[in-house]
Amino acid sequence: MSSHHIVKEKQEPALYIDELGDFNEELLGQLLEWSPTLLVNGENYDKIFSLGLKVDVLVNGSGQDAQEDTKVVQGPADALMVAVNYLYEEKYPAVNVITRKFDLEKFAGFEDKINLVVFTERAKHYPIKSGFSVWKPAGSEFLIHGNRYLEVTNLAQNEDEIFIVVKDGFVEFTFSGQPIFISEPI
């Protein structure tokens, strides 16, 4: 007996590929597993097309021959801003972004609008609110972006400003104000 999964539109996070670089193909496959809405930066369209992927939205594409049924979205800002604003306006609740470099300034401001996870070749970056708690095995690492006072449980900071989980169990982040971004190696 086969099983069929019906995925309602916008139930899975959209996937926006800003820059693919040397991104892990297996992880890319996992992010594409449930057929999310796929948005691609026009500068990377040819590479993504050559992988045989169906692009739903081409962002800031300049005169490329888009696939049939591909929507083209243009904007005055860089493609990342255009893509995230488009998803927000289309009421997508979440997006996974693949890019080469995590730039906190580019993503700050979106954390209250859309659930956002940013993947680079070596890490995933995401915003958390005060009280965020997650179970992690001992030795797991976190990098905390931004310079602000916070309290953490079950974490020790090393000389490289990386927070390491002390023992198997929950870690918790407590702070005041806006959400902050943290990173984990992948």
Side-chain angles (χ1 to χ4, degrees):
M1 183 185 301
S2 67
S3 66
H4 295 278
H5 299 281
I6 298 174
V7 178
K8 294 197 305 195
E9 192 169 330
K10 301 180 186 174
Q11 183 176 343
E12 287 296 312
L15 177 60
Y16 170 60
I17 300 176
D18 189 53
E19 288 183 89
L20 193 57
D22 293 324
F23 194 74
N24 181 301
E25 287 184 32
E26 186 177 327
L27 182 52
L28 176 61
Q30 291 172 16
L31 293 172
L32 289 165
E33 187 172 11
W34 294 99
S35 301
T37 299
L38 179 60
L39 297 88
V40 173
N41 179 335
E43 294 176 10
N44 284 265
Y45 179 75
D46 291 338
K47 181 173 186 174
I48 302 306
F49 182 73
S50 73
L51 295 175
L53 300 176
K54 169 68 178 109
V55 176
D56 298 299
V57 180
L58 177 61
V59 182
N60 283 2
S62 54
Q64 284 138 319
D65 292 329
Q67 296 166 324
E68 190 176 330
D69 299 326
T70 297
K71 184 173 185 172
V72 178
V73 177
Q74 295 285 132
D78 76 3
L80 176 72
M81 299 297 115
V82 173
V84 176
N85 278 318
Y86 168 82
L87 292 167
Y88 174 71
E89 289 169 10
E90 293 291 318
K91 299 190 177 11
Y92 279 81
V95 60
N96 291 318
V97 175
I98 296 174
T99 191
R100 291 183 74 128
K101 181 177 179 281
F102 177 73
D103 182 348
L104 180 61
E105 290 182 17
K106 279 189 172 185
F107 294 99
F110 286 112
E111 64 271 5
D112 285 338
K113 293 181 175 183
I114 191 166
N115 288 330
L116 182 70
V117 179
V118 181
F119 291 88
T120 56
E121 292 170 14
R122 293 192 174 89
K124 71 176 183 178
H125 317 265
Y126 53 96
I128 60 169
K129 294 180 177 162
S130 183
F132 174 79
S133 175
V134 63
W135 191 96
K136 288 290 180 179
S140 297
E141 297 178 354
F142 290 98
L143 183 63
I144 299 171
H145 298 277
N147 189 6
R148 71 168 354 149
Y149 175 77
L150 62 128
E151 294 178 17
V152 295
T153 58
N154 194 21
L155 289 171
Q157 191 172 11
N158 70 14
E159 63 277 355
D160 296 326
E161 298 187 8
I162 295 171
F163 288 82
I164 299 173
V165 177
V166 177
K167 61 183 190 298
D168 290 2
F170 282 94
V171 297
E172 186 172 351
F173 300 82
T174 307
F175 52 91
S176 60
Q178 295 294 318
I180 62 171
F181 276 86
I182 64 173
S183 299
E184 293 181 60
I186 52 174

